[in-house]
Amino acid sequence: MSQRRSAVTDATGDNARKVFIKTYGCQMNVYDSQRMGDALAGDGYVPTQRIEDADLVLLNTCHIREKAAEKIYSELGRIREMKAERATQGRTLTVGVTGCVAQAEGAEIIERAPVVDLVVGPQTYHRLPQALARVHSGERVVETEYAVEDKFDHLPKQAARQIRARGVTAFLTVQEGCDKFCTFCVVPYTRGAEVSRPRAAILEEARALAEAGVREVTLLGQNVNAWADGAGGLGSLLRELAEIPGLARLRYTTSHPRDMDDDLIAAHRDLRALMPYLHLPVQSGSDRILKAMNRRHTGADYLRLLDRIRAARPDIALSGDFIVGFPGESDADFEATLDLVRQVRYATAYSFKYSARPGTPGATMDGHLPEDVKTERLERLQTLLREHQVAFQESFVGREEDVLVEKAGRHPGQMIGRSPFLLPVVVPASAGAIGEIVRVRIESSLPNSLMAEGADHADRLVSAEPLRKIA
């Protein structure tokens, strides 16, 4: 389970109430943390990057990884000591747990962790100001019982200054929830049923982002390509977004193979703004395991779909997800996964050992594998995936690429941007300003990035955080 602080820039004001948001997990949670900050801004809170300065601490949680809840309770133990110290000084600290662990655990968090004042699920974070008002009147609050539609109806507006502070790329949630019920996954239980955000609201937010200087938008959803309304699916929405002045690049994640329709595939062929990168999880190459996972497609179905996508966009970079050691997975099942990987040659991929999520069908299946078997298989899979990733990156050496400059590098003379294929690229500061798309020649490939000609790279490895799986 990955974690990060909220990407909101600190505000000033000694008398202002300060909120510290710690974000775990995927891009959806990053987006949600930003929206929580926006909702709280109207209530007088300003963001801080120092937990020591905070009047309000929110842990925006993820429930996908093993022992996710236990990690949150461990963090709450440290916060409890801070809160107790504040009390000796006559100061207060309000503590909240939000996100998917909040939705899954609910009132149990309040019972188990007395330090927690409020628990807010991912469908109800827009109600934070009201929940905090109840906390300040002496209640301990649990808010998890609202429809997903309410969240879309009450998304707070972002001020232009807030958008600009977050950079020239932005996330935009268009869909939430999942109806697929894969047997390994808690998302249908923590995020609810699939719901599409209204087209007009999406376009309005996208225009506001573009007017504030955002050049690239990534559409988010647990099954983002399940988005639809009466006028069409995700392909039609992308076509409208591509017409917005200033938006030069569009992406979307995470997709399900069963929702990849003809119009969306055609959009990859037709839209210059739609970047040639697609995250399309398969999870396993074994038909037997795919059936046990309730994926409702076979390995051959998946490969045929990729053939159609590559026919529409031959240069597309593919990303995937894999779970090894699912209950009952045999050596032959695992070899089928390796065979599929060899056929696809992913540009990047995310791979994990199976871990049982309480309340999911997979947790009660027979045939759970020993940990050492799962570990050995994961190492073999990751070795193969890494070989393909290195080969993909090295294929760009000597080529010219368009790079969206996103931020200053860690060293003088460097800027960091991304190629159309989502690869981080180090460019010389003279190449262009933040927000510009510059044409550069790739000189070398580093472990986690590409280096453009003219960039200072003497023994300087640059790490860049990849997009995370939506959960």
Side-chain angles (χ1 to χ4, degrees), residues 8 25 33 38 40 106 120 133 141 212 242 260 359 386 398 400 419:
V8 181
S33 290
D38 294 342
L40 291 169
V120 179
V141 176
M260 203 76 198
R386 181 62 182 169
E400 290 189 348
S419 78

Side-chain angles (χ1 to χ4, degrees), residues 165-187:
R166 291 167 183 160
V168 297
T169 65
F171 297 134
L172 200 169
T173 291
V174 302
Q175 181 271 344
E176 281 219 23
C178 182
D179 295 341
K180 303 301 188 289
F181 287 93
C182 298
T183 57
F184 55 80
C185 187
V186 297
V187 168

